[in-house]
Amino acid sequence: MLRLKGIIAAPFTPMKEDGSVNYSLIKEQAELFVNDGISGAFVCGTSGEGLLLTTEERKKIAEAWLKASAGRLKVVVHISHHSLVEQAELSKHASANGADAVAIHAPSLFKIANVDDLAEYCKVSASASPKTPFYFYHMPAMNNTALPMIELLKKVSNIPNFAGIKFTYENIMDYSLSLNFEKGRYDVLFGRDEIFLSALAAGAEGAVGSTYNFAAPLYLEIMNAFKSGNMKRAMELQLKATSMIEDLVKLGGLPAIKSAMRVRGIDCGPCRLPLKTVSAKNADEILKLMKNFMQKEGMLNDSKIYSVA
Amino acid sequence: MLRLKGIIAAPFTPMKEDGSVNYSLIKEQAELFVNDGISGAFVCGTSGEGLLLTTEERKKIAEAWLKASAGRLKVVVHISHHSLVEQAELSKHASANGADAVAIHAPSLFKIANVDDLAEYCKVSASASPKTPFYFYHMPAMNNTALPMIELLKKVSNIPNFAGIKFTYENIMDYSLSLNFEKGRYDVLFGRDEIFLSALAAGAEGAVGSTYNFAAPLYLEIMNAFKSGNMKRAMELQLKATSMIEDLVKLGGLPAIKSAMRVRGIDCGPCRLPLKTVSAKNADEILKLMKNFMQKEGMLNDSKIYSVA
Amino acid sequence: MLRLKGIIAAPFTPMKEDGSVNYSLIKEQAELFVNDGISGAFVCGTSGEGLLLTTEERKKIAEAWLKASAGRLKVVVHISHHSLVEQAELSKHASANGADAVAIHAPSLFKIANVDDLAEYCKVSASASPKTPFYFYHMPAMNNTALPMIELLKKVSNIPNFAGIKFTYENIMDYSLSLNFEKGRYDVLFGRDEIFLSALAAGAEGAVGSTYNFAAPLYLEIMNAFKSGNMKRAMELQLKATSMIEDLVKLGGLPAIKSAMRVRGIDCGPCRLPLKTVSAKNADEILKLMKNFMQKEGMLNDSKIYSVA
Amino acid sequence: MLRLKGIIAAPFTPMKEDGSVNYSLIKEQAELFVNDGISGAFVCGTSGEGLLLTTEERKKIAEAWLKASAGRLKVVVHISHHSLVEQAELSKHASANGADAVAIHAPSLFKIANVDDLAEYCKVSASASPKTPFYFYHMPAMNNTALPMIELLKKVSNIPNFAGIKFTYENIMDYSLSLNFEKGRYDVLFGRDEIFLSALAAGAEGAVGSTYNFAAPLYLEIMNAFKSGNMKRAMELQLKATSMIEDLVKLGGLPAIKSAMRVRGIDCGPCRLPLKTVSAKNADEILKLMKNFMQKEGMLNDSKIYSVA
């Protein structure tokens, strides 16, 4: 089964000023990812405003990423849809176009109340493309469904293409138990950039997140320092990442993080409602903040700056 | 602006055993509504599993209801969609086909945190069909967005087609304040069948709900008793309704309520995931329960039984 | 078993500027209650800042109320304490001093997760004074324990002195079911002044609240109008009460409501932390607001003004 | 200001079968702590059922710990009380008896809604013993108050004896920011044993918890492995601790953890309501589980087994 290692970015969906999707930028995003040492893209996820797009837009974005990646990035397509019929359509489309995996999160409206029902929901969802690895995307902060993942893993052995979990939650105990379930049977990717190092200490080998879009070298260096036993350096760098995220959260949360992409020369444009595009003033402040940060860290000149000598 | 009075049912979406929509039953549902004295249909709402349907299915269901109603029922089409593009498409479709109103609820994934943002979201949503009355559907239990409606009403005077609120929440204080805002400027429909009479006592003149699908005569009689000052009778009947709902909730919640429709001779079939269709055993128990209840109340012989002499 | 009917006020605990209890005012409060037609006092409850007092203060306040009431008011003493040992001490003290009943709410720190455990907790709590009627005080907004009361009532038949529930929650369905459980076996008092009339419509015959401290005549008149079938007048008056409460909530919540007591000539002083005493400016605004309101309603000249001719 | 490093245990309060405090066992607990290399005791905390005790019991327990420690353990006395008068009494008592620090958590009933109010509450609480270091005990899971600690730290510079935070929450981002606030100005102790290593990776140098009561050598070894750069071993050991905690949570949560103390030869007896003492059957299972675990890890023969050679 698929194993995603290293840094997987959840790309922003580039939009024009009128709010339509700017498909032409996806190639640039993909090239940047490859250059930065990113190993995969989690397409149309939360950072990509996936649920705010039409089914047709989601298909075209998936196609664009699969084409632009050209096998250099693993591509996971997030296909969650309240309608399982449309979700299956997205699943088959992703699979037919060569996606490495698909992913869904728990529904946010009619909520699932127990692990058995969640396993059943995964089973039906995964069956749309039985040959394509399937990830469950755990993100209680968005969908208010905080069921224990270690218990879910005990119920999914009857789903042949269940690959693992994108674990976007601060409950590192559940993360650690899930990661170590049946000697690491499943791929459990961590989804909180702000505590990436704490997840490495819990055993993470792969992570999916939004700030990886523009700051992957920083996180790769944290990973390198960690692997080489240099915890002091890893901790220093993680604190820098955490502080950067704290600043971006204060400047607007996800829309601020999307805006920060401009520091790498790619302007992904506005957000869709109910997300609130950052004001021009905040956008300038974000750009300045990120420039200062990256210059100080040497990331603007050479994305490989952090690589261990 | 539109004023919906009396009982508005939120029809179940009839489905075949394979889960596809059974459009042919809609005509029967509409006839039953008219016969029962129901004044409107809130189509593709929560009870109608609206969000679990594809955009195409939602359009066809709206068309079927508008045709079957033939002007005898007011038809409100629930058009909520995470994608405002698809939502606008649903809005225009409903409007073009003669819907009396459209409605949206707050998004359940990227949540709205304050009333100003909610008013903005309504404004954009309502603008898709500027000539069609627009309702905000308040249902915190589903989307975890419990903002005060009295505050929302203070911010929507710049939305020309804002008609009112479908208020599905037990906060009767907020309900009462909203109803009386600017001498009753907006239409505020109550959405909790189980405390219908308490809402009448707070001033409600219209209500939208799921058990009205099969038990409207009971609620109309509560309304009649209330209007004629016979609170004792109104209270007795409401207690019967509340107990019936308690039983149905225990037997499976919304899927049990959908199954209860069989007592009126219309089998709306299974539910879509993540809702869990009731088991055959529970379905039988529900039917028996409802038959006993309705026979005892005289509702099976003559839907007008309760009408005040 | 005890049945509390009509309006039961939850008295504020009068405090001096230095924060110590001003016991001498309790006699004045009790006289006002009697004159206003109030039938009982719920002492050291939430409005009385009961949990913010020492055990000794709580005893002295209970004594003062029992003495001042002189049999003219039913006195329920709220004895909740995290330590069941101190709670039992408060229970025995209240009982020995002639309290008509005692009451506890669910613990707010180590929370109770199911109805069986809550029934057991009530059983142990009630056993401290087995001859004194015992009420469970349901107030999820404060202690985050929202278990269904109808289910609790099914489990308390082995508690001989279980008298009923002070139901301070907006779930009128559960209220109605509890009130009607076993033909009204238990006394279920309603605790939300702001929707008092909606509770009457659900069958309430007694209510406990904070704004009854100064505005009981208004609520008694709502009750009179309701009983005489004059729903129009009852609804008009309830809307006035609801609007008054809305204003007080905006001006500071419980501390504003405590401050409003000045309109009746009794200054109950500051609140204890973590409650925040209203500022002098807000206190003035509250007094003016209440004076205007009460003059307009005729309540300052003659507390019986509303009595049905 | 005080800095607590290493492992601080939150001792269970030993109780006799009748539920009264078994003060005589405290000396044994203290000796075990010293032998196990524990550096401090957080007395009458959550694990110690502090809030379920009377004020007198809390004083006597604090005295017993201060006497038994004889300067070999740092003793922090948890003094939280809804009544700030009784809390001040506990504070002065602890201070007079030589406590190294006192601690409070946010009130669980009348909740504090913003950081300014929390800082004010801390200021008043800390002023009771102005010479004694004061900790804020952050534990949202118990008191539903999840304010950001990094923001609290920005507001407490006017509290001369503010020493730091006992951070019992899984939000490691906030933990990390708090720890690094003003170059580590405050002592921020971590309070989740189950993710101890992840906290070390975020910079923790001290931790307070319940399973340290009986398994401190395991955690000290994790700390040693971490410090010596042996992350592989640290991760292996943490996984063992996490799995042990998972088992104990399933067997009854805190009461199971209290029962587990028997594996070290100290029977702390039952719990107080609303906590539910584990059944005899579960107690046996817990003992067997812990014996197997500790024998396998070599902790029963020699508590120093893990020390790095």
Side-chain angles (χ1 to χ4, degrees):
Chain A
M1 189 66 73
L2 188 63
R3 287 277 160 167
L4 299 173
K5 307 231 173 179
I7 298 295
I8 296 100
F12 310 115
T13 293
M15 293 182 190
K16 298 178 188 168
E17 279 311 304
D18 66 359
S20 64
V21 178
N22 191 354
Y23 300 98
S24 63
L25 276 185
I26 291 174
K27 193 166 165 40
E28 290 183 42
Q29 290 173 282
E31 292 303 321
L32 180 70
F33 282 13
V34 172
N35 285 338
D36 268 5
I38 287 174
S39 49
F42 188 87
V43 172
C44 289
T46 304
S47 303
E49 302 167 66
L51 272 281
L52 308 181
L53 303 164
T54 69
T55 297
E56 283 314 299
E57 288 169 333
R58 292 167 76 171
K59 286 182 186 173
K60 287 177 68 178
I61 292 167
E63 287 170 30
W65 271 100
L66 285 160
K67 187 174 168 207
S69 297
R72 299 170 299 169
L73 299 165
K74 296 289 179 189
V75 176
V76 184
V77 181
H78 179 234
I79 57 164
S80 288
H81 199 291
H82 283 306
S83 159
L84 291 192
V85 176
E86 295 208 36
Q87 183 178 285
E89 189 182 321
L90 286 166
S91 180
K92 284 169 188 160
H93 173 271
S95 179
N97 281 273
D100 296 282
V102 294
I104 67 153
H105 53 57
S108 57
L109 197 72
F110 290 102
K111 294 187 188 70
I112 291 177
N114 61 65
V115 168
D116 284 317
D117 289 353
L118 182 55
E120 174 67 15
Y121 192 79
C122 285
K123 190 162 186 283
V124 171
S125 297
S127 70
S129 301
K131 298 284 175 64
T132 304
F134 175 90
Y135 283 85
F136 178 68
Y137 175 11
H138 185 45
M139 56 161 222
M142 296 291 288
N143 59 19
N144 303 79
T145 303
L147 297 167
M149 290 298 99
I150 178 63
E151 300 304 323
L152 176 66
L153 293 183
K154 293 174 186 170
K155 313 265 183 173
V156 296
S157 61
N158 64 347
I159 307 177
N161 55 331
F162 195 96
I165 297 170
K166 170 181 178 331
F167 195 105
T168 305
Y169 197 31
E170 52 272 28
N171 187 337
I172 290 186
M173 175 173 177
D174 189 29
Y175 178 69
S176 167
L177 294 172
S178 300
L179 201 57
N180 288 285
F181 176 70
E182 291 188 3
K183 307 187 185 217
R185 175 170 175 179
Y186 296 108
D187 192 22
V188 190
L189 304 162
F190 195 69
R192 284 263 186 248
D193 323 13
E194 66 271 26
I195 55 171
F196 174 66
L197 177 58
S198 288
L200 293 181
E205 297 188 5
V208 185
S210 58
T211 63
Y212 306 153
N213 273 282
F214 44 80
L218 175 60
Y219 294 96
L220 284 168
E221 177 61 2
I222 293 171
M223 199 175 237
N224 286 337
F226 176 82
K227 282 184 181 164
S228 63
N230 191 347
M231 281 303 293
K232 190 165 169 297
R233 179 159 169 74
M235 289 162 72
E236 280 169 11
L237 294 173
Q238 178 63 53
L239 183 58
K240 288 178 183 181
T242 305
S243 299
M244 174 190 75
I245 294 171
E246 186 194 19
D247 288 338
L248 290 171
V249 166
K250 283 184 183 160
L251 286 162
L254 178 51
I257 294 171
K258 183 175 187 179
S259 176
M261 193 66 190
R262 289 167 66 207
V263 78
R264 301 303 298 274
I266 301 178
D267 188 338
C268 289
C271 291
R272 289 203 176 168
L273 283 179
L275 288 174
K276 290 173 72 179
T277 303
V278 292
S279 65
K281 187 173 157 292
N282 271 17
D284 285 348
E285 196 174 335
I286 290 163
L287 184 58
K288 199 189 299 178
L289 174 91
M290 292 304 301
K291 269 192 183 158
N292 285 344
F293 176 74
M294 292 210 162
Q295 263 158 3
K296 204 168 144 198
E297 300 302 319
M299 283 198 288
L300 286 187
N301 311 318
D302 174 2
S303 71
K304 297 280 194 314
I305 188 88
Y306 277 127
S307 59
V308 173
Chain B
M1 189 66 72
L2 189 64
R3 286 276 160 167
L4 299 173
K5 306 230 172 180
I7 297 296
I8 297 101
F12 309 115
T13 293
M15 293 182 190
K16 299 178 187 166
E17 279 313 303
D18 67 358
S20 62
V21 178
N22 190 354
Y23 299 98
S24 63
L25 275 186
I26 290 174
K27 194 168 164 37
E28 290 184 40
Q29 290 173 282
E31 293 303 321
L32 179 70
F33 282 13
V34 171
N35 285 338
D36 268 6
I38 287 174
S39 49
F42 188 86
V43 173
C44 288
T46 304
S47 303
E49 304 167 65
L51 272 282
L52 308 181
L53 303 164
T54 70
T55 297
E56 283 314 298
E57 288 169 333
R58 291 168 77 171
K59 287 182 187 173
K60 288 177 69 177
I61 292 167
E63 286 170 30
W65 270 100
L66 285 160
K67 188 174 168 206
S69 297
R72 297 171 300 169
L73 299 165
K74 297 288 180 190
V75 176
V76 184
V77 180
H78 180 234
I79 58 164
S80 287
H81 199 292
H82 282 306
S83 160
L84 291 192
V85 177
E86 296 208 34
Q87 183 177 286
E89 190 183 321
L90 287 166
S91 179
K92 284 169 189 160
H93 174 270
S95 179
N97 283 272
D100 295 283
V102 295
I104 67 153
H105 54 57
S108 57
L109 196 73
F110 290 102
K111 293 186 189 72
I112 291 177
N114 61 64
V115 168
D116 284 318
D117 290 354
L118 182 56
E120 174 66 16
Y121 192 78
C122 284
K123 190 163 187 282
V124 171
S125 297
S127 70
S129 301
K131 299 283 174 64
T132 303
F134 174 91
Y135 284 85
F136 178 69
Y137 175 12
H138 185 46
M139 56 163 222
M142 295 292 287
N143 58 20
N144 303 80
T145 302
L147 297 167
M149 290 298 100
I150 178 63
E151 301 304 324
L152 176 65
L153 292 183
K154 293 174 186 169
K155 313 264 183 174
V156 295
S157 61
N158 65 348
I159 307 177
N161 54 330
F162 194 97
I165 296 171
K166 171 180 178 332
F167 194 105
T168 305
Y169 196 31
E170 52 270 28
N171 186 338
I172 290 186
M173 175 173 178
D174 189 29
Y175 178 69
S176 168
L177 294 172
S178 300
L179 201 57
N180 288 286
F181 176 71
E182 291 189 2
K183 306 187 185 215
R185 176 171 176 179
Y186 296 107
D187 192 23
V188 190
L189 305 161
F190 195 70
R192 283 262 186 250
D193 323 13
E194 65 271 28
I195 54 172
F196 174 65
L197 177 58
S198 288
L200 293 181
E205 297 188 4
V208 185
S210 57
T211 63
Y212 307 153
N213 274 282
F214 45 79
L218 173 61
Y219 294 96
L220 284 168
E221 177 61 3
I222 293 171
M223 199 175 237
N224 286 338
F226 176 81
K227 282 184 181 165
S228 62
N230 191 346
M231 281 303 294
K232 188 164 171 299
R233 179 159 169 73
M235 289 162 72
E236 279 170 11
L237 294 173
Q238 177 64 54
L239 184 59
K240 288 178 184 181
T242 305
S243 299
M244 173 191 76
I245 294 172
E246 187 194 19
D247 288 338
L248 290 172
V249 166
K250 283 185 184 161
L251 286 162
L254 179 51
I257 293 171
K258 183 175 186 179
S259 177
M261 192 66 190
R262 289 168 66 208
V263 78
R264 300 302 298 275
I266 301 178
D267 188 338
C268 288
C271 291
R272 289 203 177 168
L273 283 179
L275 288 174
K276 291 174 72 179
T277 302
V278 292
S279 65
K281 187 173 156 293
N282 272 14
D284 286 349
E285 196 175 334
I286 290 163
L287 184 59
K288 199 190 297 176
L289 174 91
M290 292 304 302
K291 268 192 183 158
N292 286 344
F293 175 76
M294 293 210 161
Q295 264 158 2
K296 204 168 144 198
E297 300 301 319
M299 282 198 289
L300 285 187
N301 309 319
D302 173 2
S303 69
K304 298 282 193 312
I305 188 92
Y306 278 126
S307 59
V308 174
Chain C
M1 190 64 74
L2 188 64
R3 286 276 160 168
L4 299 173
K5 306 229 172 179
I7 298 296
I8 296 101
F12 309 115
T13 292
M15 293 182 189
K16 299 177 187 167
E17 279 311 304
D18 67 358
S20 63
V21 178
N22 190 355
Y23 300 99
S24 63
L25 276 186
I26 290 174
K27 195 168 164 38
E28 289 183 41
Q29 290 173 282
E31 293 303 320
L32 180 71
F33 282 15
V34 172
N35 285 338
D36 268 6
I38 287 174
S39 50
F42 188 86
V43 173
C44 288
T46 303
S47 303
E49 302 167 67
L51 272 282
L52 308 181
L53 303 164
T54 70
T55 297
E56 283 314 298
E57 288 169 332
R58 292 168 76 171
K59 286 181 185 173
K60 288 178 68 177
I61 291 167
E63 287 170 30
W65 271 101
L66 286 161
K67 188 175 167 205
S69 297
R72 298 171 300 170
L73 299 164
K74 297 289 181 191
V75 176
V76 184
V77 181
H78 179 235
I79 57 164
S80 287
H81 199 292
H82 282 306
S83 160
L84 290 192
V85 176
E86 296 208 33
Q87 183 177 287
E89 190 183 319
L90 286 166
S91 180
K92 284 168 187 161
H93 174 270
S95 179
N97 282 273
D100 295 284
V102 295
I104 67 153
H105 52 57
S108 57
L109 197 72
F110 291 102
K111 293 187 189 70
I112 291 177
N114 61 64
V115 168
D116 284 318
D117 290 354
L118 182 57
E120 173 67 14
Y121 192 79
C122 285
K123 189 161 186 282
V124 171
S125 296
S127 71
S129 301
K131 298 285 174 63
T132 302
F134 175 91
Y135 283 85
F136 177 68
Y137 176 10
H138 185 46
M139 54 162 223
M142 295 291 289
N143 59 20
N144 303 81
T145 302
L147 298 167
M149 290 299 98
I150 179 63
E151 299 305 323
L152 176 66
L153 292 183
K154 293 174 186 171
K155 312 266 183 172
V156 296
S157 60
N158 65 347
I159 307 177
N161 54 332
F162 194 97
I165 295 170
K166 171 179 176 335
F167 194 105
T168 304
Y169 196 32
E170 53 270 29
N171 186 337
I172 290 187
M173 176 174 179
D174 189 28
Y175 179 70
S176 168
L177 294 172
S178 300
L179 201 58
N180 289 287
F181 176 70
E182 291 188 1
K183 305 188 187 220
R185 176 171 175 178
Y186 296 108
D187 192 22
V188 189
L189 305 162
F190 195 69
R192 283 263 187 248
D193 323 13
E194 66 270 28
I195 55 171
F196 174 67
L197 178 58
S198 288
L200 293 181
E205 297 187 5
V208 185
S210 58
T211 63
Y212 307 153
N213 273 282
F214 44 79
L218 175 61
Y219 294 95
L220 284 169
E221 178 61 4
I222 294 172
M223 199 175 237
N224 285 337
F226 176 81
K227 282 183 181 166
S228 62
N230 191 345
M231 281 305 292
K232 189 165 171 298
R233 179 158 168 73
M235 288 162 71
E236 279 169 12
L237 294 173
Q238 178 63 52
L239 184 59
K240 288 178 183 181
T242 305
S243 298
M244 173 190 74
I245 293 172
E246 186 194 20
D247 289 338
L248 290 171
V249 166
K250 282 184 184 161
L251 286 162
L254 178 52
I257 293 171
K258 183 176 187 179
S259 177
M261 193 67 190
R262 289 168 68 207
V263 78
R264 300 303 298 274
I266 301 178
D267 187 338
C268 288
C271 291
R272 289 203 176 168
L273 284 178
L275 289 174
K276 290 175 73 179
T277 302
V278 292
S279 66
K281 186 172 158 294
N282 272 16
D284 286 348
E285 197 174 335
I286 290 163
L287 184 58
K288 198 189 298 178
L289 173 91
M290 293 304 301
K291 268 191 184 157
N292 286 344
F293 176 74
M294 292 210 162
Q295 264 158 4
K296 203 169 145 198
E297 299 301 319
M299 282 199 288
L300 286 187
N301 310 320
D302 173 3
S303 70
K304 299 284 194 309
I305 189 91
Y306 278 127
S307 59
V308 173
Chain D
M1 190 65 73
L2 188 64
R3 287 276 159 168
L4 299 173
K5 306 230 173 179
I7 298 296
I8 296 101
F12 309 115
T13 293
M15 294 182 190
K16 299 177 187 167
E17 279 311 304
D18 66 359
S20 61
V21 178
N22 191 355
Y23 299 99
S24 62
L25 275 186
I26 291 174
K27 196 169 164 37
E28 289 184 41
Q29 290 174 281
E31 293 303 320
L32 179 71
F33 282 14
V34 172
N35 285 339
D36 268 6
I38 287 174
S39 50
F42 187 87
V43 172
C44 289
T46 303
S47 303
E49 301 168 66
L51 272 282
L52 307 181
L53 303 165
T54 70
T55 297
E56 283 313 299
E57 288 169 333
R58 291 168 77 172
K59 286 182 186 173
K60 289 178 68 177
I61 292 167
E63 287 170 30
W65 271 99
L66 286 160
K67 189 174 166 205
S69 297
R72 298 171 298 170
L73 300 165
K74 297 290 180 190
V75 176
V76 185
V77 181
H78 179 235
I79 58 165
S80 287
H81 199 291
H82 282 306
S83 160
L84 291 193
V85 176
E86 296 209 35
Q87 184 177 286
E89 190 183 321
L90 287 166
S91 180
K92 284 169 188 160
H93 173 271
S95 179
N97 281 272
D100 295 284
V102 295
I104 67 153
H105 53 57
S108 57
L109 197 72
F110 291 102
K111 293 187 189 70
I112 290 177
N114 61 65
V115 168
D116 284 318
D117 290 354
L118 182 56
E120 174 66 16
Y121 192 79
C122 284
K123 190 162 185 282
V124 171
S125 297
S127 71
S129 302
K131 300 283 174 63
T132 303
F134 175 91
Y135 284 85
F136 178 68
Y137 175 11
H138 185 45
M139 55 162 223
M142 295 291 288
N143 58 20
N144 303 81
T145 302
L147 298 166
M149 290 298 100
I150 178 62
E151 300 303 324
L152 177 65
L153 292 182
K154 292 174 186 170
K155 313 266 182 172
V156 296
S157 61
N158 64 348
I159 306 176
N161 55 331
F162 195 97
I165 296 170
K166 171 179 176 336
F167 194 105
T168 304
Y169 197 31
E170 52 271 29
N171 186 337
I172 290 186
M173 175 175 179
D174 189 28
Y175 179 70
S176 169
L177 294 172
S178 300
L179 201 58
N180 288 286
F181 176 70
E182 290 189 4
K183 305 189 187 217
R185 176 171 175 178
Y186 295 108
D187 192 22
V188 189
L189 305 162
F190 195 70
R192 284 261 187 251
D193 323 13
E194 65 270 27
I195 55 171
F196 174 66
L197 177 58
S198 288
L200 293 181
E205 297 187 5
V208 186
S210 57
T211 63
Y212 306 153
N213 273 282
F214 45 79
L218 174 61
Y219 294 96
L220 284 168
E221 178 61 3
I222 293 171
M223 199 175 239
N224 285 339
F226 176 81
K227 282 183 181 165
S228 63
N230 190 346
M231 282 304 294
K232 189 164 171 297
R233 179 157 169 74
M235 289 162 71
E236 279 169 11
L237 294 173
Q238 178 63 53
L239 184 59
K240 289 178 182 181
T242 304
S243 299
M244 173 191 73
I245 294 171
E246 186 193 20
D247 289 338
L248 290 172
V249 165
K250 282 183 184 163
L251 286 162
L254 178 52
I257 293 171
K258 183 175 187 179
S259 177
M261 192 66 190
R262 290 168 67 206
V263 77
R264 300 302 297 274
I266 301 179
D267 187 338
C268 288
C271 290
R272 289 202 177 169
L273 285 177
L275 289 173
K276 291 174 72 180
T277 302
V278 292
S279 65
K281 187 173 156 293
N282 271 17
D284 285 348
E285 196 174 335
I286 290 163
L287 182 59
K288 199 189 298 177
L289 174 91
M290 292 304 301
K291 268 192 184 156
N292 287 344
F293 176 73
M294 293 211 161
Q295 263 158 4
K296 203 169 145 198
E297 299 302 319
M299 282 198 288
L300 286 187
N301 309 319
D302 173 3
S303 70
K304 297 284 193 310
I305 189 91
Y306 277 127
S307 58
V308 173

